[in-house]
Amino acid sequence: MLSSNLRQLHRLGRGAINMFSTDAKQFPEAKRRFIPSQGTYPHGFFAGGSHCGIKKNGKADLALLVSDRPTTTSAVFTTNQFCAAPVQYDRSVINGARDAQEQRVRAVVINSGCANAVTGQQGLADAQEMGEAGAAFVRMFDKERGVEHEGGEALVMSTGVIGQRLPLSKITDGVTAMQVDETHEAWMRAAVAHMTTDTFPKLLSRQVDIAGQPIHLAGITKGAGMIHPNMATLLGTVCTDASVPQSLLDKALAHAVARSFNAISIDGDMSTNDTIAVIANGASGVVVDGAAYEQFTTALTEFMADLASLVVRDGEGATKFLTIEVTGARTFADAKQVASTIATSSLVKTAFYGQDANWGRILCAVGYAGVALDTHKVNMAIYPGDNSDPLVLVKGGEPLLPVDEARASEILKQEDMRVRVELGLGSEEARMYTCDLSHDYVSINADYRS
């Protein structure tokens, strides 16, 4: 942790920087309950955000996360074959560190407003220069703290319009001028700077116990459209002060992302830029070894599921948050396939927007999901977010008629709902998180570039 004098030096030593408000009152009232007013952040991590000039409207567009020491880093990337230059660059950085068995990553530089996707060799060169600006910041960061520079590379993430070059000089100047510190306000600045069509910043932090000792997790994500596995069509970074060996971190992230960022869908489109990184710097002194691995993986999975849910709650034009829960499957893959099929059905999503208890659309999606069923064993119900009694719609493959339309109307007016489908074939289960599909989704995406 910086002393007060060093922290002040670090804040003032960069020159002028365009700051902005993080006051929750500027965001939609319905979303403010998801914006934290305080947090508990991992030791050894610093954050910041600014407006460097990418966005024409003057809004925040550049974020920086920095560790005060080398980290173990793992990431999952988009499977879109037109993967963006930042994805290619980050993959090479992480694979290089993994192959060399070294801790190399010290920072993440994130810009919003320009995706640096489908930009050819120039885009790759721009991503590398953006990473070099982050590495240069780390060198200056260490010098100002009066510590020996331990090297380190920077990951880069970009989000925004596809097919345009980065305004690189604005970004590199912005990185040089960035102010970072350990406060909640600094993390909020970084979260706000991630936003594109997002209506609120997505920041989450918590303390958890691993083998009786506390560690901390903090995560920032962004996304409101082009959200669909695999990967999750968005950007996100989770920082932890636990010490996690590379092989265990890779394994934990794979498990967690399958149940979080690869379990959300808004519109069925897969972005070119999706990246979720987990960065562990070990500053807590808590080592995640074999015995603590299960605890850490469970904590990481729950944390990432909560973080991913914020993306769905901000789905472009969304008015409902839907949890699709499939139980009694033969395998996890079967359960997830059925859940995903329901979650991505435009007919299901529009029915929820219209508050129409059209259970036939849900059952239809279950039937064409490509998983072998015994239809006589299928049960289905809708559970309201207020934890009142569910509306049971199908039992043993048969509809329970007549549908209680008055009760259905009460439930479908709520923002949060859970659709539970029981297959009756085994013990595996999976969840998908999705939203409804509204008129506003079309309006938002019809004029995105303007």
Side-chain angles (χ1 to χ4, degrees), residues 54-57 60-62 80 82-87 109-119 130 156-167 171 192-198 222-227 233-236 270-275 316 444-445 447-450:
I54 301 172
K55 293 179 182 174
K56 298 176 184 178
N57 59 11
D61 51 23
L62 185 66
N80 191 308
F82 279 103
C83 61
V87 170
V109 182
I110 308 99
N111 79 270
S112 58
C114 180
N116 191 17
V118 198
T119 47
M130 188 170 163
V156 299
M157 300 182 187
S158 299
T159 180
V161 178
I162 294 171
Q164 297 182 2
R165 275 200 64 190
L166 292 173
I171 292 174
V192 172
H194 279 67
M195 296 169 61
T196 52
T197 58
D198 308 67
K222 66 82 51 194
M226 295 187 79
I227 306 296
T233 32
L234 38 76
L235 303 181
M270 182 187 298
S271 164
T272 54
N273 290 59
D274 312 345
T275 303
E316 290 170 347
I444 291 168
N445 285 282
D447 60 358
Y448 178 69
R449 290 203 307 162
S450 60

Side-chain angles (χ1 to χ4, degrees), residues 172-298:
T172 55
D173 288 349
V175 171
T176 301
M178 185 68 72
Q179 300 172 5
V180 298
D181 62 46
E182 301 162 294
T183 64
H184 173 70
E185 171 66 17
W187 281 88
M188 278 296 300
R189 289 200 303 269
V192 172
H194 279 67
M195 296 169 61
T196 52
T197 58
D198 308 67
T199 66
F200 69 94
K202 299 166 183 68
L203 169 65
L204 192 65
S205 65
R206 71 179 49 147
Q207 176 180 304
V208 297
D209 285 348
I210 301 297
Q213 300 179 80
I215 68 164
H216 303 85
L217 297 162
I220 296 175
T221 189
K222 66 82 51 194
M226 295 187 79
I227 306 296
H228 182 69
N230 278 316
M231 235 281 298
T233 32
L234 38 76
L235 303 181
T237 305
V238 175
C239 301
T240 179
D241 52 16
S243 175
V244 191
Q246 186 72 61
S247 61
L248 293 184
L249 189 63
D250 291 343
K251 185 178 177 182
L253 176 59
H255 178 94
V257 82
R259 292 156 177 82
S260 58
F261 286 98
N262 272 347
I264 63 175
S265 183
I266 289 176
D267 51 15
D269 275 333
M270 182 187 298
S271 164
T272 54
N273 290 59
D274 312 345
T275 303
I276 295 294
V278 177
I279 303 176
N281 71 0
S284 68
V286 178
V287 178
V288 175
D289 54 16
Y293 167 76
E294 294 295 338
Q295 276 186 292
F296 176 77
T297 300
T298 297

Side-chain angles (χ1 to χ4, degrees), residues 57-112:
N57 59 11
K59 292 186 177 181
D61 51 23
L62 185 66
L64 182 63
L65 301 174
V66 182
S67 171
D68 67 0
R69 68 200 70 196
T71 71
T72 302
T73 299
S74 185
V76 179
F77 301 101
T78 183
T79 57
N80 191 308
Q81 294 183 70
F82 279 103
C83 61
V87 170
Q88 299 176 57
Y89 176 78
D90 289 351
R91 188 179 282 132
S92 68
V93 169
I94 292 174
N95 286 342
R98 184 183 289 115
D99 292 344
Q101 298 183 342
E102 294 177 352
Q103 294 180 310
R104 292 182 176 176
V105 175
R106 289 282 305 276
V108 187
V109 182
I110 308 99
N111 79 270
S112 58

